[in-house]
Amino acid sequence: MEGLCLTLQPIPSSAIQRRLSTFNLHNRLTRPSSCAPLRAHQKSGITEGSDSALEGKVSDVKISEQEVNIYQNEVVESQGIKIRRRPPTGPPMHYVGPFEFRLQNEGNTPRNILEEIVWHKDKEVAQMKERKPLYTLKKALDNIPPAQDFIGALRSAHQRTGLPGLIAEVKKASPSRGILREDFNPVEIAQAYEKGGAACLSVLTDDKYFKGSYENLQAIREAGVKCPLLLKEFIVEAWQIYYGRSKGADAVLLIASVLPDLDIKYMIKICKILGMATLVEVHDEREMDRVLAIEGVELIGINNRNLETFEVDLGITKKLLEGERGELIRQKDILVVGESGLFTPEDIAFVQEAGLKAVLVGESLIKQSDPGKAISTLFGRDISE
Ligand SMILES: O=P(O)(O)OC[C@@H](O)[C@@H](O)c1c[nH]c2ccccc12
């Protein structure tokens, strides 16, 4: 008998959020009735058709969205992710007279800078998406050259020099260090990095916190720089990946402390379709274990900087590459990139000794008058040939 074939596919939480927020999910996600807030229009017995009924529906939708946010934050917390994707608006709600009002909710203040950035991104992406919906982006992708091999470039640089392949970062500022370089010409810096022997470049595109832009990325690509380019963004939605590709990105950063596993899997698939590489960033054992369990991960970044506190500790790299984890990484032939806080040839030697074949460096290069020459100083010799 011909059976009905049902395939159950995991839905990434960003997609769940989109779908859920279009429906009134109040009934499905209800809290125990004892603590479910009564709505103003329910209490006042307003009927359909009146303005107040419409307001009631609007507030229904708002409540549903809040519940979705709570639900999504719960999914995220269950994986040990401390960064909440959105402010958990919602309770406490207090009913006073015929109106409702929300008491000041401390949970709606970001707990750290990373959370603040992620909340800001969420709003920023929503606005950008309105201006450039996905279908127009997809069309634009037909007319641009294919993505370059980011991982291949790192591997061959490592083989050529015997030193870690370098991803040099085009970064004007950061929340932890302020303005890093006043006379910031992204194209000149990119060209200097390439001349100095960088295998790949990382371009910050966040404006508010890093003073970067997608225009910088595009300008570098269009200036004829050959190094593959990493989209250095706080990715919260797949739309950003398509947008980055349309501006010339060859690889994208995915931060494990921000994205649940399902999102990482889903975004890796999208990147593969677009021919892009993904650099999945971790900072502790739990994140490393999560990422090692995800199929298709080829490039992992260990960030020595804690993005919640800004503390830098190169010991993190060593710790995360020891023992069984290091063994698994070798078995799976995953390339590991050491990120942040690398300033001297000793630092490079230290992380190389720990097992790294690539490094991502910003501050120590960008602050020098010639960022290209600074590469030789950092590596202890000229790596451009
Ligand atoms: O400037 P540094 O310390 O060399 O660090 C570069 C890079 O690792 C850092 O900019 C970075 C790593 N992961 C990030 C995530 C978002 C923004 C920035 C980053």
Side-chain angles (χ1 to χ4, degrees):
M1 193 184 85
E2 287 278 294
L4 178 67
C5 177
L6 244 188
T7 332
L8 287 179
Q9 292 246 343
I11 304 170
S13 64
S14 52
I16 292 175
Q17 161 67 25
R18 265 194 315 281
R19 282 179 211 178
L20 296 191
S21 58
T22 47
F23 293 101
N24 185 338
L25 269 179
H26 184 67
N27 292 335
R28 276 205 256 157
L29 297 171
T30 37
R31 293 177 290 272
S33 53
S34 59
C35 54
L38 269 176
R39 282 175 223 123
H41 72 281
Q42 289 173 330
K43 289 170 191 165
S44 55
I46 292 160
T47 51
E48 288 261 342
S50 67
D51 284 354
S52 312
L54 187 63
E55 277 164 26
K57 282 193 177 146
V58 170
S59 87
D60 264 5
V61 171
K62 279 198 182 136
I63 290 168
S64 301
E65 284 181 351
Q66 289 156 9
E67 284 171 307
V68 170
N69 287 351
I70 293 167
Y71 172 72
Q72 193 180 36
N73 284 337
E74 276 170 11
V75 169
V76 154
E77 269 170 34
S78 71
Q79 292 180 11
I81 299 174
K82 284 168 269 153
I83 301 301
R84 296 165 300 173
R85 186 71 70 84
R86 291 180 184 83
T89 47
M93 299 276 269
H94 280 246
Y95 173 66
V96 175
F99 306 107
E100 279 181 350
F101 77 92
R102 192 195 318 285
L103 278 185
Q104 184 66 28
N105 182 348
E106 273 188 25
N108 286 335
T109 311
R111 294 182 193 134
N112 54 55
I113 182 72
L114 183 56
E115 196 162 82
E116 183 186 324
I117 296 173
V118 166
W119 291 4
H120 168 71
K121 274 299 143 193
D122 198 51
K123 288 194 232 139
E124 183 186 272
V125 173
Q127 287 167 2
M128 290 172 82
K129 257 170 36 178
E130 277 190 15
R131 272 182 269 132
K132 268 208 179 296
L134 194 56
Y135 70 89
T136 57
L137 279 184
K138 282 186 174 166
K139 266 194 222 146
L141 295 186
D142 294 339
N143 304 319
I144 61 163
Q148 296 178 29
D149 183 0
F150 192 89
I151 301 179
L154 288 176
R155 285 198 192 278
S156 64
H158 174 60
Q159 275 158 13
R160 180 173 61 79
T161 63
L163 289 164
L166 171 65
I167 309 169
E169 186 153 277
V170 182
K171 163 163 85 168
K172 177 165 182 171
S174 75
S176 62
R177 318 294 279 171
I179 299 279
L180 295 165
R181 191 181 177 96
E182 288 290 352
D183 66 328
F184 185 81
N185 181 328
V187 171
E188 277 175 15
I189 292 165
Q191 286 165 338
Y193 279 156
E194 183 164 70
K195 207 164 146 230
C200 299
L201 306 181
S202 158
V203 185
L204 256 308
T205 51
D206 173 76
D207 168 33
K208 183 163 180 200
Y209 300 91
F210 291 85
K211 307 251 172 288
S213 70
Y214 283 91
E215 286 72 34
N216 290 353
L217 180 75
Q218 189 168 20
I220 292 170
R221 178 82 308 152
E222 287 174 357
V225 169
K226 290 187 198 68
C227 288
L229 304 180
L230 173 72
L231 170 65
K232 199 68 178 311
E233 238 315 339
F234 294 85
I235 301 290
V236 291
E237 282 215 33
W239 180 90
Q240 295 163 284
I241 302 176
Y242 286 94
Y243 191 57
R245 179 78 274 271
S246 78
K247 299 289 178 188
D250 305 293
V252 66
L253 178 80
L254 302 177
I255 304 177
S257 63
V258 169
L259 296 168
D261 296 359
L262 270 181
D263 280 1
I264 296 178
K265 287 180 195 168
Y266 170 64
M267 289 174 181
I268 287 177
K269 278 190 190 149
I270 288 176
C271 286
K272 291 225 158 112
I273 292 169
L274 296 177
M276 301 170 86
T278 44
L279 172 60
V280 189
E281 177 176 305
V282 303
H283 179 70
D284 59 26
E285 288 101 326
R286 186 163 182 175
E287 287 171 9
M288 180 62 108
D289 292 341
R290 277 176 52 213
V291 170
L292 284 176
I294 294 175
E295 193 76 23
V297 171
E298 294 171 277
L299 189 63
I300 295 181
I302 299 181
N303 196 351
N304 299 307
R305 180 179 293 115
N306 179 333
L307 290 178
E308 293 167 36
T309 63
F310 296 141
E311 262 168 53
V312 175
D313 174 8
L314 297 191
I316 307 266
T317 292
K318 197 163 184 318
K319 190 167 72 183
L320 296 192
L321 292 175
E322 271 166 2
E324 279 176 28
R325 291 190 184 92
E327 196 46 50
L328 196 55
I329 287 167
R330 276 186 292 278
Q331 270 170 26
K332 292 187 161 206
D333 196 24
I334 293 172
L335 191 80
V336 185
V337 183
E339 304 177 357
S340 310
L342 301 167
F343 286 89
T344 63
E346 290 71 36
D347 291 342
I348 300 289
F350 178 82
V351 292
Q352 181 168 22
E353 181 72 13
L356 294 185
K357 295 199 176 85
V359 287
L360 170 53
V361 185
E363 180 176 346
S364 65
L365 301 176
I366 204 104
K367 277 188 147 177
Q368 310 310 314
S369 54
D370 183 336
K373 288 211 181 102
I375 294 176
S376 313
T377 316
L378 175 66
F379 280 77
R381 69 175 165 89
D382 185 355
I383 59 160
S384 65
E385 289 304 320

